Amino acid sequence: MLDFFERLEKHRKEEKQLAWEGNFRDYLELVAKNPHIAQLSHARVYDMIKNAGIEENEGTKNYNFFSDEIFGLDKTLQRLIEEYFHSAAKRLDVRKRILLLMGPVSGGKSTIVTLLKRGLEKYSRTDEGAVYAIRDCPMHEDPLHLIPTELREGFQEEYGVYIEGNLCPSCRLTLEAKYQGRIEDVPVKRIAFSEEERVGIGTFTPSDPKSQDIADLTGSIDFSTISEFGSESDPRAYRFDGELNKANRGLMEFQEMLKCDEKFLWNLLSLSQEGNFKAGRFALISADEMIIAHTNESEYKAFISNKKNEALQSRIIIMPVPYNLKVSEEVKIYNKLINQGDLNNIHLAPHALRTASMFSILSRLKESKKQGMDLVKKMKLYDGEDVEGFKQKDLMELQAEAIDEGMSGVDPRYIINRLSSALITQDTVCINALDVLRSLKDGLDQHPSITQEEKERLLNFVSLARKEYDEIAKKEVQKAFVYSYEESAKTLFNNYLDNVEAFCNCVKVTDPITEDEIDPDERLMRSIEEQIGVSENAKKTFREEILIRISAFARKGRTFDYNCHERLREAIEKKLFVDLKDIVKITTSTKTPDEEQLKRINGVVERLVNEHGYCSTCANELLKYTGSLLNR
Ligand SMILES: Nc1ncnc2c1ncn2[C@@H]1O[C@H](COP(=O)(O)OP(=O)(O)OP(=O)(O)O)[C@@H](O)[C@H]1O
Ligand SMILES: [Mg+2]
Ligand SMILES: [Zn+2]
Ligand SMILES: [Zn+2]
């Protein structure tokens, strides 16, 4: 972090650069040095995203531009950027179509567009993203528009830049009246995009279709000056202040596009199609801007089911923006929303958000037809966890089975609202997973527009999430009971491996204490294997497979530890817990603990607080709860 005065200095330098002004001749010098500054809007948007950096991760690209704010939409963003932004930047045909983001409520559509808008504002202030415009143009248009059509081909060859579009009526008039057609004298300045100042960034929101005026988009006749200039076709009597005018060179967001009247849509389409639109009594006006619209699925469905809209449809590129389907990414969304709101001074017990997130994700998933697959397994698999019978490589098939998955379900806002409401009714300093589930459930009861069937489906997800949480809670407590959990697991694991090795090689093991040669400890091995259902008949293969894995690891110079084998780890964990179960059960559920038990409980609470993110309130609640679970 720079200190304040360094930042001030930097800011001053930036402002000075931003204040660049010259004439068209000076501008051409800049273009000759750096043709980049003359690029069209779509290419500028793409460059901005690319410049922020791209990280490749197992075939999916992660775009740093979005990664602080958008979670779990990697595939969606990749498709958006490659299929639309990148192709449009290369001036392929897609840029002539309007981009329509389509997805469920609160799925991040507006956030994506807002990031692009704020991003462009910043980018236009940097060297790489610099934009220049004819100084007095109401649409801050591209200075290259000054070049007469006849000279363009030669210019393009010489400078290596592509020119698109024609001078606006206002500039045309000024060029003749003020500069006698000498384009080299026309003033040019650097501009910075700013939605607030209506430069290069615009937003259009439909109002009542009946009263909505097309002028909001294309500008309007200025009735106060019309008598002065005598004619409606005099550009001085026209205000180029529609959203399409103002967003020229940059980006216009079209909110809720399909709520608009048809005539609006047609106007918009001719803009994107031909790069120009009709305003007032003028010839077509050129505009170079990316138009991003968004809509929800039901409006989209109504729109495409209407035959009348066919022509419109073919001029739109639909980009689905489904909900995130990864539990751990959903947690990040909640954390982001919580930090933005006023919830951030209460304690959220560990796993509270995760539990809520499991509920949301379950509600968004589609049942699979695959044998042995259920929603909970699917949820885990999607989040990168291998489950019984399925591995990450099966993901593709599962996804192919449910193409429009994520287009419905519980939205992130609902969860945040329920968290707030839990907070208010509870009047406490800490919310745990059970409080969250309770509040989600109450919310369903109060929900006005939900069918009985849907309600039951969702209630079922509440109980599935609860079951998952129960497992997590038990594990957490049991872990906290072991003074050093990792250490114990490691010891048990090594002990098991020594025995397996001796068993497979038909040799004896050395007793660590007496140093006697003894037979491998069959009881120990079985007590671990039984935890994950390895039968007597299968035990030999299981053990041999483990030895093979160990030598494979050794060949690569890696050490095989208990985290390297998913099933073996599970077995070790379970075995440790079984050994502990009685002691945990008794300690957590006695009403009158003796001194020894009390010491133990305090130790566990302390570990939960110091090492696992609990406060003393939720740590004690957790102990009580798991006590009751273990006694069932
Ligand atoms: N995948 C996501 N990553 C990060 N934040 C998200 C994600 N999905 C939703 N959000 C957050 O949820 C909130 C609602 O999202 P947003 O307003 O962008 O949704 P929307 O798709 O425009 O919804 P609507 O159709 O209701 O206008 C925002 O605060 C947004 O940051
Ligand atoms: Mg929105
Ligand atoms: Zn102009
Ligand atoms: Zn707490």
Side-chain angles (χ1 to χ4, degrees):
M1 194 73 186
L2 300 175
D3 88 359
F4 174 71
F5 290 100
E6 283 174 281
R7 273 181 292 155
L8 186 66
E9 188 54 42
K10 191 165 164 264
H11 177 73
R12 214 170 2 235
K13 212 176 124 207
E14 211 177 85
E15 290 296 313
K16 204 172 139 207
Q17 273 170 349
L18 283 175
W20 187 94
E21 229 185 284
N23 57 28
F24 185 67
R25 190 189 289 276
D26 303 326
Y27 176 64
L28 281 195
E29 270 173 41
L30 297 183
V31 176
K33 266 189 258 158
N34 180 12
H36 208 65
I37 57 174
Q39 67 188 343
L40 299 178
S41 60
H42 290 82
R44 182 167 282 116
V45 173
Y46 179 67
D47 273 1
M48 166 180 79
I49 295 171
K50 215 175 51 177
N51 274 358
I54 305 172
E55 276 155 39
E56 193 130 11
N57 185 5
E58 290 169 13
T60 17
K61 290 193 177 130
N62 268 314
Y63 295 89
N64 294 346
F65 183 81
F66 293 103
S67 58
D68 287 346
E69 297 274 344
I70 301 282
F71 305 111
L73 296 185
D74 306 353
K75 288 233 168 69
T76 302
L77 290 172
Q78 181 169 356
R79 193 170 153 201
L80 176 67
I81 291 164
E82 284 177 358
E83 284 179 28
Y84 189 83
F85 294 164
H86 191 197
S87 315
K90 288 196 288 194
R91 299 207 307 272
L92 295 178
D93 222 39
V94 285
R95 107 193 132 109
K96 305 211 161 164
R97 275 170 262 161
I98 290 174
L99 176 64
L100 178 60
L101 305 180
M102 188 268 293
V105 288
S106 286
K109 302 180 296 293
S110 300
T111 310
I112 292 175
V113 185
T114 305
L115 282 174
L116 290 170
K117 294 204 289 191
R118 297 294 87 81
L120 275 175
E121 288 174 344
K122 275 202 207 118
Y123 190 57
S124 70
R125 303 178 74 94
T126 66
D127 290 345
E128 305 81 50
V131 194
Y132 296 82
I134 297 177
R135 192 187 66 194
D136 302 314
C137 175
M139 293 175 63
H140 27 265
E141 74 177 309
D142 186 347
L144 298 184
H145 284 181
L146 287 163
I147 298 176
T149 328
E150 300 75 30
L151 299 181
R152 285 190 182 181
E153 214 184 297
F155 178 86
Q156 287 178 177
E157 254 161 52
E158 193 182 333
Y159 283 80
V161 281
Y162 173 81
I163 308 173
E164 185 175 88
N166 297 311
L167 217 49
C168 81
S170 166
C171 289
R172 198 181 308 254
L173 181 77
T174 326
L175 176 62
E176 289 315 318
K178 207 162 163 191
Y179 304 102
Q180 290 76 44
R182 287 180 53 83
I183 64 171
E184 57 270 52
D185 295 340
V186 175
V188 170
K189 67 169 185 183
R190 181 161 171 193
I191 55 170
F193 288 159
S194 157
E195 176 152 31
E196 213 163 90
E197 287 163 37
R198 304 194 73 206
V199 180
I201 309 283
T203 305
F204 184 76
T205 320
S207 54
D208 174 15
K210 279 178 215 80
S211 64
Q212 181 126 52
D213 194 339
I214 198 90
D216 295 345
L217 274 180
T218 59
S220 56
I221 292 164
D222 187 345
F223 289 102
S224 64
T225 51
I226 195 156
S227 56
E228 191 185 328
F229 300 112
S231 152
E232 278 186 23
S233 57
D234 189 307
R236 286 167 300 181
Y238 195 85
R239 285 203 300 249
F240 295 86
D241 65 353
E243 221 52 47
L244 287 174
N245 307 113
K246 293 302 176 188
N248 188 31
R249 314 293 299 282
L251 185 150
M252 188 184 93
E253 172 182 11
F254 201 136
Q255 299 184 326
E256 310 294 342
M257 179 171 99
L258 300 182
K259 284 201 172 75
C260 263
D261 202 75
E262 253 178 277
K263 80 173 178 216
F264 271 84
L265 297 183
W266 275 113
N267 226 290
L268 201 65
L269 286 167
S270 94
L271 163 68
S272 58
Q273 196 84 1
E274 323 298 342
N276 52 40
F277 60 92
K278 182 92 186 110
R281 293 275 164 92
F282 305 112
L284 294 169
I285 297 176
S286 302
D288 162 37
E289 58 206 78
M290 182 183 271
I291 299 177
I292 308 188
H294 41 93
T295 185
N296 62 42
E297 202 186 18
S298 56
E299 260 159 19
Y300 175 68
K301 280 192 170 142
F303 174 76
I304 51 170
S305 65
N306 186 346
K307 268 253 174 279
K308 251 174 51 189
N309 290 328
E310 256 169 23
L312 277 170
Q313 242 188 81
S314 66
R315 290 167 168 82
I316 294 172
I317 294 237
I318 305 292
M319 208 40 87
V321 182
Y323 286 134
N324 154 53
L325 297 176
K326 289 185 181 158
V327 174
S328 47
E329 298 294 315
E330 188 74 7
V331 172
K332 292 185 194 161
I333 300 179
Y334 301 160
N335 269 320
K336 183 185 85 173
L337 291 173
I338 286 168
N339 287 331
Q340 286 167 358
D342 51 4
L343 280 171
N344 56 4
N345 48 12
I346 51 145
H347 185 239
L348 278 162
H351 313 296
L353 293 184
R354 191 171 184 81
T355 308
S357 147
M358 289 192 278
F359 165 75
S360 315
I361 304 294
L362 284 169
S363 77
R364 298 169 188 172
L365 295 179
K366 291 228 151 81
E367 291 282 356
S368 163
K369 289 196 186 67
K370 287 200 183 307
Q371 189 101 63
M373 177 49 74
D374 60 35
L375 284 187
V376 172
K377 278 189 184 173
K378 196 174 185 182
M379 168 185 87
K380 291 182 178 171
L381 208 60
Y382 276 15
D383 204 24
E385 202 181 311
D386 288 344
V387 294
E388 201 192 329
F390 298 91
K391 290 217 153 69
Q392 291 302 306
K393 64 175 172 44
D394 301 316
L395 263 181
M396 293 265 260
E397 266 185 50
L398 280 171
Q399 282 160 343
E401 209 186 25
I403 342 168
D404 58 347
E405 194 163 54
M407 281 302 192
S408 63
V410 170
D411 64 282
R413 284 237 170 269
Y414 177 75
I415 303 291
I416 298 301
N417 292 343
R418 293 318 300 167
L419 280 174
S420 317
S421 126
L423 186 68
I424 293 159
T425 49
Q426 289 246 313
D427 195 24
T428 122
V429 286
C430 172
I431 294 184
N432 65 30
L434 297 172
D435 299 325
V436 173
L437 288 175
R438 210 171 298 122
S439 177
L440 288 173
K441 207 168 152 185
D442 293 347
L444 296 177
D445 288 331
Q446 295 158 18
H447 213 292
S449 63
I450 200 168
T451 65
Q452 188 60 28
E453 195 191 343
E454 178 64 1
K455 192 172 136 187
E456 268 156 29
R457 199 177 77 96
L458 292 173
L459 284 176
N460 179 41
F461 295 142
V462 171
S463 56
L464 286 178
R466 160 102 183 249
K467 266 192 214 140
E468 289 301 308
Y469 171 69
D470 288 354
E471 289 310 308
I472 296 174
K474 277 192 274 185
K475 258 193 201 166
E476 188 114 304
V477 171
Q478 283 168 322
K479 271 193 189 178
F481 257 87
V482 188
Y483 170 62
S484 170
Y485 178 80
E486 286 287 318
E487 213 47 50
S488 312
K490 238 188 244 162
T491 311
L492 184 59
F493 173 75
N494 286 332
N495 206 346
Y496 175 76
L497 286 191
D498 287 343
N499 281 288
V500 163
E501 213 170 356
F503 169 85
C504 292
N505 299 330
C506 299
V507 297
K508 296 199 179 272
V509 285
T510 317
D511 186 298
I513 299 162
T514 61
E515 299 199 343
D516 287 340
E517 296 283 296
I518 49 171
D519 285 331
D521 187 346
E522 191 59 31
R523 259 186 55 199
L524 174 82
M525 290 186 284
R526 288 306 292 147
S527 71
I528 291 169
E529 289 154 4
E530 275 161 4
Q531 302 298 330
I532 49 168
V534 176
S535 70
E536 188 65 32
N537 288 335
K539 73 179 183 192
K540 190 152 178 277
T541 333
F542 184 76
R543 292 171 189 176
E544 281 165 359
E545 191 251 350
I546 285 174
L547 282 193
I548 292 170
R549 287 279 286 273
I550 295 177
S551 59
F553 264 70
R555 264 205 310 281
K556 289 181 201 146
R558 290 170 59 194
T559 27
F560 186 79
D561 70 22
Y562 87 105
N563 286 314
C564 299
H565 194 293
E566 193 85 19
R567 290 192 70 210
L568 190 53
R569 185 181 71 188
E570 191 189 334
I572 297 278
E573 279 177 355
K574 282 192 171 156
K575 167 72 175 138
L576 277 177
F577 292 164
V578 168
D579 294 350
L580 260 175
K581 192 165 175 179
D582 287 334
I583 203 155
V584 175
K585 196 154 123 183
I586 294 165
T587 321
T588 51
S589 53
T590 67
K591 295 229 162 53
T592 49
D594 60 30
E595 205 176 314
E596 182 65 19
Q597 287 168 331
L598 212 55
K599 226 174 103 192
R600 217 172 173 135
I601 291 181
N602 289 337
V604 170
V605 169
E606 210 178 284
R607 262 194 293 285
L608 285 172
V609 172
N610 293 338
E611 292 164 28
H612 301 282
Y614 287 79
C615 70
S616 62
T617 310
C618 51
N620 280 299
E621 282 167 354
L622 177 75
L623 282 184
K624 243 192 279 159
Y625 181 64
T626 35
S628 74
L629 281 179
L630 291 170
N631 274 311
R632 272 197 194 145

PDB file of all heavy atoms in Angstrom, residues 347 349 430 614-615 617-618, ligand 4:
ATOM      1  N   HIS A 347     -21.272 -13.088  15.828  1.00  0.00           N
ATOM      2  CA  HIS A 347     -20.455 -14.256  15.541  1.00  0.00           C
ATOM      3  C   HIS A 347     -21.274 -15.299  14.797  1.00  0.00           C
ATOM      4  O   HIS A 347     -22.375 -15.647  15.204  1.00  0.00           O
ATOM      5  CB  HIS A 347     -19.923 -14.863  16.838  1.00  0.00           C
ATOM      6  CG  HIS A 347     -18.979 -15.979  16.573  1.00  0.00           C
ATOM      7  ND1 HIS A 347     -19.171 -17.251  17.033  1.00  0.00           N
ATOM      8  CD2 HIS A 347     -17.840 -16.010  15.849  1.00  0.00           C
ATOM      9  CE1 HIS A 347     -18.179 -18.015  16.615  1.00  0.00           C
ATOM     10  NE2 HIS A 347     -17.365 -17.290  15.902  1.00  0.00           N
ATOM     11  N   ALA A 349     -21.233 -19.036  13.912  1.00  0.00           N
ATOM     12  CA  ALA A 349     -20.540 -20.250  14.316  1.00  0.00           C
ATOM     13  C   ALA A 349     -19.994 -20.962  13.079  1.00  0.00           C
ATOM     14  O   ALA A 349     -20.584 -20.878  12.002  1.00  0.00           O
ATOM     15  CB  ALA A 349     -21.499 -21.165  15.064  1.00  0.00           C
ATOM     16  N   CYS A 430     -24.520 -14.650  18.702  1.00  0.00           N
ATOM     17  CA  CYS A 430     -23.933 -15.729  17.913  1.00  0.00           C
ATOM     18  C   CYS A 430     -25.027 -16.569  17.260  1.00  0.00           C
ATOM     19  O   CYS A 430     -26.018 -16.900  17.891  1.00  0.00           O
ATOM     20  CB  CYS A 430     -23.077 -16.597  18.832  1.00  0.00           C
ATOM     21  SG  CYS A 430     -22.469 -18.071  18.055  1.00  0.00           S
ATOM     22  N   TYR A 614     -14.643 -21.146  17.129  1.00  0.00           N
ATOM     23  CA  TYR A 614     -15.874 -21.011  17.913  1.00  0.00           C
ATOM     24  C   TYR A 614     -15.731 -19.903  18.946  1.00  0.00           C
ATOM     25  O   TYR A 614     -14.612 -19.525  19.308  1.00  0.00           O
ATOM     26  CB  TYR A 614     -16.176 -22.325  18.646  1.00  0.00           C
ATOM     27  CG  TYR A 614     -16.672 -23.411  17.728  1.00  0.00           C
ATOM     28  CD1 TYR A 614     -15.775 -24.129  16.942  1.00  0.00           C
ATOM     29  CD2 TYR A 614     -18.026 -23.706  17.624  1.00  0.00           C
ATOM     30  CE1 TYR A 614     -16.216 -25.107  16.068  1.00  0.00           C
ATOM     31  CE2 TYR A 614     -18.478 -24.689  16.759  1.00  0.00           C
ATOM     32  CZ  TYR A 614     -17.567 -25.392  15.986  1.00  0.00           C
ATOM     33  OH  TYR A 614     -18.016 -26.358  15.128  1.00  0.00           O
ATOM     34  N   CYS A 615     -16.890 -19.369  19.405  1.00  0.00           N
ATOM     35  CA  CYS A 615     -16.835 -18.546  20.605  1.00  0.00           C
ATOM     36  C   CYS A 615     -17.345 -19.441  21.725  1.00  0.00           C
ATOM     37  O   CYS A 615     -17.836 -20.536  21.462  1.00  0.00           O
ATOM     38  CB  CYS A 615     -17.675 -17.276  20.459  1.00  0.00           C
ATOM     39  SG  CYS A 615     -19.451 -17.541  20.434  1.00  0.00           S
ATOM     40  N   THR A 617     -19.935 -19.388  23.497  1.00  0.00           N
ATOM     41  CA  THR A 617     -21.360 -19.706  23.366  1.00  0.00           C
ATOM     42  C   THR A 617     -21.583 -20.867  22.400  1.00  0.00           C
ATOM     43  O   THR A 617     -22.175 -21.886  22.755  1.00  0.00           O
ATOM     44  CB  THR A 617     -22.152 -18.486  22.844  1.00  0.00           C
ATOM     45  OG1 THR A 617     -21.807 -17.361  23.620  1.00  0.00           O
ATOM     46  CG2 THR A 617     -23.643 -18.736  22.875  1.00  0.00           C
ATOM     47  N   CYS A 618     -21.091 -20.727  21.178  1.00  0.00           N
ATOM     48  CA  CYS A 618     -21.394 -21.787  20.205  1.00  0.00           C
ATOM     49  C   CYS A 618     -20.607 -23.063  20.491  1.00  0.00           C
ATOM     50  O   CYS A 618     -21.060 -24.151  20.137  1.00  0.00           O
ATOM     51  CB  CYS A 618     -21.246 -21.314  18.764  1.00  0.00           C
ATOM     52  SG  CYS A 618     -19.714 -20.506  18.343  1.00  0.00           S
TER      53      CYS A 618
HETATM   54 ZN    ZN B   4     -20.226 -18.261  18.456  1.00  0.00          ZN
END
